[in-house]
Amino acid sequence: MMKRDCIAHVVCLIVALASLAVCCTEADCAASAPDIYKTATGAMRDELWDFAGREFETLLKAYPKAKQAESSTYYLGFCDFQRKHYKTGAHHLDSYLSRWPKAEFARESKFYLGRCLLEIGQPERAKLLFENVASTKHELRIAATFWLGRAHLTLGHFAESRDLFALVVQSKDPAYSETAVYELARADSEGKNYLKSIKTALRLVQTSKDKEVLTQTRLLLAINHFHIEKFHLAISYARKVIDVVDEGEERWKRAIVVLAESYRLSGQHEEAFAAFGQYLKVAAADDAAGWAAERATRSLISSEKYDEAQAFLAHWKNKLAEETICELAFALADHQRALGRTTESMDALRLAYGAMSSRKFKLSTGLRLADAYFKSADYAKVLLVLKPLLPSGSLVEDKDLIVSALLLVGMSDEALNGLADAERAYRLILSLEPSREQAELASSRLIEVLLRRNNIDSAIVELDAIKRLSGTTADYAKLAAQIVDYLSKRNLNQRAVASAKEYVQKLSSSLVGSGKQSGEHLRAFLRRLSESNRCLVLQQLVETLKPEPQHSARAEVLLSAAECYFGLHEYASASTVYSEVIDEYRNTPQAAVALGRLGTIAFEAGNYAESLEVFEKAREGVDEAPFGIVYMIAESLFRLGKLPEALAEYEALIKMPDCRKQVLQNAILKGAIICEELGMLAKAREGFKACASMDFDKTAASIAKKRLARLGD
């Protein structure tokens, strides 16, 4: 019983002591709120912003309803602003205005809330707060006007910001007026009114004694002079900034960039590279490092230091966009190739290729690298690079690149005798509906592959497709000739002639009224027939074409047949066909060519009278005889011993402006020889001297010198 009473007494004592302790704690807390506030405000006066902020936080947490809570909320936001905790500062100041919109520190809260919002990228909200304070007579009115100008400047409202800074300048406020002059110049600069900005900034440089203001203003002057392309002044002001600020500071970075770009754009590429190198040394982690590395590489390229540029690009490639790497590497490759440095050119392309991760740029760089391999006849490497890059599914994306890659693959397969693979590549191109030019090239290559694979029927089908696509082009003429040759070489003469006739008709169907191009395509077809088969095919082809006066295709075929015989020195056959051209197609260009050839055959056979007659006839058929006909007339007369007449022709030839230089020299020599024969020695000497001074025909010059020496002075 006694023990139980003792325990009860102890419990009562503990409860009593606990109650007393609670009462004492509450009394102590109520008494400590002013003390906390006093400590916090004292720390704030001493600019101990972190300590003061913590004390205000303690007070507000412990005593949210204390009378000091109102001002403590404002002061906490103010301390946050001072220690650059802008987001939390904005929160506390916004809270103050929400709870006490008309309290003692409402204007101050609006001002510093605006400052915080401006720092965290909310200039529109900040502007409204600054406008409110600036419209009052509050002591922060000038400050609010200044920061309102900053808000407008951030928003790109250059005219509004300029007007506001001008008001601050006019106020002559000691804290803001000088800085407002700088901001006024900056507003003009941001608005691209660089000359006005320079004028304002120069006045400030002359009057200010504030080192910080002077540094900022000189940086602005460097930027402005850069924009108006007065690079020597931009360099000068940038150097002044670099000399007085710490390396790596934001102003130093801006100044060194202006300095480097000014050097680069003024052609001082080595100095530009050095300046970009300084920037990269201290700012390799900055967002602008890639830009600086690109510019530095361009400076080395412009300095023609291609190996150094290549090494620099390899070092900094991870900072550059893939498109930029491609552009720089391609430029380096082109420069190295122009210098004949094929290995270094390939190295640049391999550098770009290895740096690519996206499919698009991997394909474009692979294409350039493969093209370089193709030009070096390294066809296996073309396939090694490109085949893994070609998609197995849809080929719609990047179609132009895919088509270009397939063309290189096809041509490389051709070169390596992988004809089946080449055919697949070209057919795949045609299935993609490529451009007309790409389709023509793929079709041409496909036809050549089909001929090599002895698939003549498919080749003919593809040639018809080319005609439907592009008409009768020079490529069509070339491929048609290849098909005829193919048939002829395999002794399929009847089919070769039939095909030749078909192609002649197609090539000549648009001759009337179509100008000279269609005729050129027909002649190209006839010329491209291989020499060993041409005469036989043409001879048989002529027999299938009707002798109609207006049938210009037949005229071309006849002339081509005659030219074929002439080229093989079968002059009898050639003369027969040339005569046929002349008889059937008088007063045509083909007849004029035929006459000239008949005259040449007669001349070569020593039949000078006949050659003279033919060439005279050829001259009668044209308004103005070409120099070749006049020369052959003169030569025929000379061989016939009709020297006065020959001399007259040579002299006429010498006066012709389109006469070939070698022919001219020979005409002068022959004229001088005739003059010597006719006793006109002075004129002969003059001719020999003229011929001896020319070097178009060394044999003629040598003869002239010997004749001149024999005549003497």
Side-chain angles (χ1 to χ4, degrees), residues 252 275-285 288-294 296 312 316:
W252 180 91
F276 282 124
Q278 279 184 273
Y279 173 83
L280 289 167
K281 186 178 177 182
V282 300
W291 173 86
E294 176 206 345
F312 190 84
W316 288 98

Side-chain angles (χ1 to χ4, degrees), residues 606-712:
N607 299 326
Y608 303 120
E610 184 182 339
S611 69
L612 177 62
E613 181 183 353
V614 172
F615 284 122
E616 288 282 13
K617 192 174 181 181
R619 179 158 64 178
E620 290 171 5
V622 293
D623 293 333
E624 188 173 337
F627 73 87
I629 289 177
V630 177
Y631 179 71
M632 292 308 295
I633 289 172
E635 286 289 292
S636 298
L637 288 166
F638 183 81
R639 296 295 198 287
L640 290 168
K642 298 182 178 182
L643 299 185
E645 294 91 334
L647 179 60
E649 296 295 344
Y650 283 127
E651 288 177 343
L653 181 65
I654 291 167
K655 294 176 183 178
M656 295 179 74
D658 61 340
C659 183
R660 275 172 41 201
K661 302 299 183 185
Q662 190 173 1
V663 173
L664 174 65
Q665 188 173 357
N666 273 286
I668 292 171
L669 174 64
K670 296 289 178 60
I673 291 171
I674 291 171
C675 287
E676 183 182 358
E677 291 292 325
L678 296 176
M680 303 163 61
L681 301 183
K683 195 170 182 179
R685 287 191 188 92
E686 184 182 337
F688 289 135
K689 283 182 181 178
C691 180
S693 67
M694 301 168 79
D695 60 358
F696 305 114
D697 187 327
K698 296 189 183 302
T699 302
S702 176
I703 293 170
K705 287 173 184 176
K706 289 177 182 177
R707 291 266 187 167
L708 189 60
R710 192 178 68 189
L711 282 176

Side-chain angles (χ1 to χ4, degrees), residues 212-253:
E212 289 299 307
V213 171
L214 284 170
T215 299
Q216 285 289 93
T217 306
R218 284 172 178 146
L219 178 57
L220 183 62
L221 282 166
I223 293 167
N224 285 335
H225 282 107
F226 174 82
H227 282 299
I228 62 173
E229 298 183 12
K230 291 193 174 181
F231 299 122
H232 65 290
L233 290 172
I235 290 167
S236 175
Y237 282 114
R239 280 176 172 167
K240 288 177 181 177
V241 175
I242 292 165
D243 288 343
V244 298
V245 298
D246 293 335
E247 186 178 78
E249 186 193 321
E250 194 60 36
R251 290 175 298 178
W252 180 91
K253 291 178 185 177

Side-chain angles (χ1 to χ4, degrees), residues 54 108 119 263 301-302 310 318 322 355 418 439 452 483 487 564 568 574 644 660 663 678-679 687:
R54 286 195 298 270
E108 289 84 349
E119 292 291 343
Y263 277 138
I301 292 172
S302 298
Q310 214 151 300
N318 292 336
E322 291 190 352
R452 288 177 65 185
I483 286 175
L487 294 167
C564 180
L568 295 173
R660 275 172 41 201
V663 173
L678 296 176

